[in-house]
Amino acid sequence: MGATKQFNPDFHIIEIGGTIGDIESLPFIEAIRQYKAEMGYGNAISIHCTLLPYLPTSGELKTKPSQHSVNVLRSYGIQPEILLCRTSKPIPKTEREKLALFCSISKDAVIECRDMKTIYEVPLALEEQGLCQVALKMLGVRDKKPDLKSWEKLVDKIKHPTKSIKVGIAGKYTKLSDAYISVVESLKHAGYADSASIEIKWINSEDCVDYECCKKELADIQAVVVPGGFGVRGIEGKLNVIRYARENNLPFLGLCLGLQCTVIEYARNVLKLTDANSKEFDDNPTDPVIDMMLDQKHIKGYGGTMRLGAYDCHLKKGTVAYKAYGKDVVSERHRHRYEVNFEYIEKLSKAGLVFSGMSPDGMLTEIVELPKLDWFVACQFHPEFKSRPDRPHPLFKGLVDAAVKRLNN
Amino acid sequence: MTKYIFVTGGVVSSLGKGIVAASLGRLLRSRGYSVINQKFDPYINVDPGTMSPFQHGEVFVTDDGAETDLDLGHYERFTDTSLGKYNNVTSGSVY
C-alpha cells in the first residue's frame, strides 16, 4: 500500500493474480480481508471475476461454478460487492437473479462481460453495463459523466478496417502468443492508424534454419518482426529471416536480440566475416560482433542484473529513424546484457549499415537501419512497451506503413 | 481519501482480470479521477525476469527498470500512464 501514500490517488485498483482456491494467493486474500475490515464499509470493495460456461446441449449459461467460487471467497472472509461474469452469450434475467440471490450481490452489481472483437472495446462494454456507476455508488463517490469520445472513435476505427495485412513474428516462443503480447498489440496499434487489420503469422525460427523452408514461410507476408529473446536456439533461423528480408526488401523490424541478429547477419553475408557471432552463442568466435556490455562482465547471476529500464538514445539527423520519431533524443526501455561490439561499428558502417541511434556517450548501438530498403530497422531497446492504441510507436508505424505500401503494389 | 477496489478471479485462469482492472482504470480516469493500477502476483520469484515465457508470458519492462507481469502492459495501454516497480508486488518481494 506504499504506492497509495506516495501518489495519493482517488482510486487504487489492485488485481490479485491467480485463481481463488489456489493456495499461493492466500496471503494476499487475507490481506484484502483485513484491509476491507480496517477501512470500513464504503471505502473498499472487491470485484470477483468469474466465467459462465455455456452448455450447448441444454442451451444454458451455467451459474454453479460462479456460486462455488464466491462461496470459497466467502470462506476466506470476503464477500465480493460486484460479480463480473465473462460469458459468450447475454445473461438471461433468471440467471442474473439466481447469481444475485446465491452470491448475495445486488442485481445491478452482476455485470456481464461478453467476449469482444477487440480488448479495447471492453471499457465501453463495461460502461454500458454500469460497472463504474455501481462501483462509485458503493464507494460513496459522486458519479460524473465520462469523456469516452476519443476511445469510442478508436474502437470504431478498430472495428472497421479497410484492408488487412499479414505480419510475421519469427521467434522461439511462438506457441504462446502471450510471450510477445506487447509486440502484437504494437503492430495492431500501428494498423489502427492505417485502418488496417493485422493478421499475425507465427513463424517458429527453428523452422527457418533451412533457407528454402524460410523462403516459403515468408512468401505470403507483407512484413516481419524478429523480437527479443535469449539463448542460441533458433538463432540460425532468425538470421535466415533477416537475410531474406534484406535481400527481398521485405519490411523488417528487429527488436533487442533482433538487432543483434541483424548485425551478425550483415557481418556474415555482406562483410563476409563468415564466423561472425555473438559471445552469447559462441565463447570464442573469430569476429565477436556482439559482446557482453563492459559493466556486465563481472556479473555472474541472472535475474534483475541486465541493463534495464529507460535510457536516452540520440538519433542521427537525416536517417529513417530520425524521420520516424521527428526528434533528436528519445527515451526507450531496455532489457539486455549484450551489445554491438564498438570495434566493428566502423567496418559495418563502411559496408552500408547505418547506425542511426546511439547512447548519449556514442558507445552503445541503439538503432541500425538500411535506408535504401522500404523499411529495414532494428533497435536494441523494446519500443513495444511504449506503444498506445491511439498513439502507435513510430518504429511500428513505419513498419506497418511499409507493409501497407507493399500490399498495394 | 483513497478508495480501494480489489479485483479477484475465480473458476478458471486467463479470464482477462487484467483487462477488467485496466478498463475500470480507464473508466474512472475518463471521469476525471486519479487512479493507480497495481498487480499482486502470488509467485515466489521476486520478479518474472527469469521465468520461462512459456509459463508466464511476456516480461513487461517499466521506465524505472522493473521486470513485471504482462498485465502492467494492459494497464499502461488502457490508462495511458507510465508505471513503475511499485505497480507489481510479488510474494517473493514481500517475504
Side-chain angles (χ1 to χ4, degrees):
Chain A
M1 305 295 162
T4 307
K5 279 193 198 119
Q6 195 181 336
F7 304 105
N8 196 27
D10 297 323
F11 294 94
H12 192 158
I13 303 171
I14 298 170
E15 178 195 350
I16 311 293
T19 309
I20 292 302
D22 297 347
I23 52 164
E24 300 97 300
S25 53
L26 277 179
F28 286 143
I29 304 294
E30 171 61 9
I32 298 184
R33 190 194 63 75
Q34 290 187 17
Y35 216 80
K36 279 179 91 174
E38 271 174 31
M39 298 290 291
Y41 183 78
N43 290 319
I45 57 168
S46 56
I47 301 175
H48 190 53
C49 303
T50 67
L51 174 75
L52 299 184
Y54 178 73
L55 272 190
T57 42
S58 62
E60 281 178 318
L61 286 172
K62 306 307 284 184
T63 61
K64 196 70 85 185
S66 298
Q67 295 177 39
H68 276 302
S69 174
V70 170
N71 270 341
V72 175
L73 197 52
R74 279 205 206 116
S75 74
Y76 300 150
I78 295 173
Q79 166 65 52
E81 278 79 7
I82 296 176
L83 190 70
L84 195 139
C85 307
R86 278 293 302 274
T87 161
S88 54
K89 305 213 176 294
I91 309 174
K93 197 163 163 265
T94 48
E95 264 69 26
R96 201 179 275 264
E97 282 167 357
K98 207 198 271 178
L99 281 165
L101 180 64
F102 291 111
C103 299
S104 302
I105 283 168
S106 79
K107 260 181 260 172
D108 61 350
V110 176
I111 306 285
E112 168 188 303
C113 185
R114 296 266 292 281
D115 301 339
M116 294 289 151
K117 264 204 184 120
T118 155
I119 53 170
Y120 298 111
E121 209 179 341
V122 175
L124 301 179
L126 292 178
E127 178 64 25
E128 210 183 294
Q129 286 281 315
L131 170 69
C132 206
Q133 264 181 311
V134 171
L136 288 172
K137 198 169 100 191
M138 287 170 171
L139 290 167
V141 179
R142 192 169 61 89
D143 191 14
K144 298 183 197 170
K145 200 177 171 325
D147 179 10
L148 288 164
K149 267 192 220 100
S150 57
W151 200 266
E152 281 162 1
K153 228 169 113 186
L154 170 77
V155 171
D156 187 60
K157 209 159 185 193
I158 297 172
K159 285 167 83 177
H160 301 99
T162 56
K163 50 197 155 301
S164 170
I165 57 168
K166 205 169 181 181
V167 181
I169 298 181
K172 193 161 69 162
Y173 303 109
T174 47
K175 284 206 182 91
L176 179 79
S177 61
D178 264 4
Y180 302 111
I181 186 162
S182 292
V183 176
V184 173
E185 289 303 313
S186 301
L187 286 168
K188 288 185 186 167
H189 299 165
Y192 303 155
D194 286 341
S195 296
S197 70
I198 308 281
E199 186 193 338
I200 303 289
K201 177 174 181 178
W202 296 102
I203 300 168
N204 187 341
S205 46
E206 286 171 275
D207 294 340
C208 294
V209 175
D210 178 75
Y211 194 62
E212 289 307 311
C213 295
C214 174
K215 272 190 198 164
K216 267 184 216 147
E217 287 281 334
L218 303 180
D220 62 337
I221 55 176
Q222 281 86 45
V224 67
V225 177
V226 175
F230 296 91
V232 70
R233 199 155 57 85
I235 287 299
E236 296 301 321
K238 286 180 186 171
L239 296 178
N240 277 339
V241 169
I242 296 166
R243 182 184 147 200
Y244 179 91
R246 183 175 58 76
E247 290 179 348
N248 295 280
N249 197 10
L250 176 67
F252 162 77
L253 180 63
L255 311 173
C256 197
L257 181 65
L259 170 131
Q260 299 176 1
C261 289
T262 303
V263 169
I264 297 170
E265 192 277 326
Y266 207 77
R268 284 190 192 174
N269 298 326
V270 180
L271 272 181
K272 303 294 175 201
L273 304 172
T274 46
D275 190 38
N277 212 337
S278 165
K279 281 218 173 162
E280 185 181 1
F281 314 133
D282 184 345
D283 285 340
N284 196 19
T286 321
D287 290 292
V289 290
I290 306 294
D291 200 354
M292 194 177 268
M293 279 180 279
L294 213 53
D295 55 357
Q296 289 280 333
K297 285 190 175 167
H298 65 281
I299 299 171
K300 293 257 155 36
Y302 292 106
T305 54
M306 287 177 276
R307 180 173 181 251
L308 280 164
Y311 288 91
D312 279 351
C313 160
H314 287 227
L315 302 174
K316 207 184 199 170
K317 280 204 170 66
T319 58
V320 172
Y322 184 88
K323 276 178 218 148
Y325 279 102
K327 48 184 164 181
D328 300 303
V329 184
V330 293
S331 171
E332 292 284 0
R333 298 184 193 170
H334 297 70
R335 182 171 184 250
H336 65 119
R337 189 171 279 122
Y338 290 81
E339 63 171 335
V340 176
N341 188 340
F342 189 76
E343 289 168 26
Y344 284 87
I345 291 182
E346 206 187 319
K347 260 191 205 170
L348 289 158
S349 304
K350 274 190 184 148
L353 191 65
V354 174
F355 289 75
S356 47
M358 300 295 284
S359 61
D361 65 3
M363 297 300 283
L364 190 142
T365 303
E366 293 279 18
I367 310 177
V368 298
E369 61 183 62
L370 290 173
K372 282 190 186 133
L373 301 180
D374 286 343
W375 186 266
F376 189 97
V377 177
C379 51
Q380 181 58 68
F381 48 81
H382 291 270
E384 69 270 26
F385 297 143
K386 294 191 76 168
S387 176
R388 299 287 181 263
D390 53 350
R391 221 171 44 253
H393 190 282
L395 298 186
F396 281 93
K397 179 79 170 53
L399 178 82
V400 169
D401 286 351
V404 169
K405 203 176 121 195
R406 190 180 173 89
L407 182 77
N408 292 338
N409 291 340
Chain B
M1 198 182 89
T2 301
K3 304 275 184 175
Y4 286 85
I5 301 172
F6 297 101
V7 180
T8 54
V11 184
V12 291
S13 61
S14 311
L15 267 174
K17 277 191 312 256
I19 290 169
V20 169
S23 296
L24 185 56
R26 174 89 247 173
L27 292 177
L28 287 166
R29 258 170 202 278
S30 68
R31 285 168 162 79
Y33 290 116
S34 62
V35 184
I36 285 184
N37 270 98
Q38 199 173 27
K39 171 101 192 256
F40 284 5
D41 272 312
Y43 42 71
I44 310 298
N45 306 45
V46 174
D47 62 50
T50 53
M51 289 167 79
S52 164
F54 271 130
Q55 279 175 19
H56 187 269
E58 172 185 270
V59 173
F60 188 83
V61 180
T62 57
D63 271 338
D64 63 1
E67 298 174 281
T68 68
D69 187 84
L70 60 85
D71 274 332
L72 267 77
H74 290 311
Y75 299 168
E76 283 204 353
R77 289 187 281 268
F78 276 75
T79 63
D80 199 2
T81 46
S82 245
L83 304 176
K85 55 178 186 280
Y86 284 114
N87 297 89
N88 194 195
V89 177
T90 66
S91 308
S93 69
V94 173
Y95 297 127

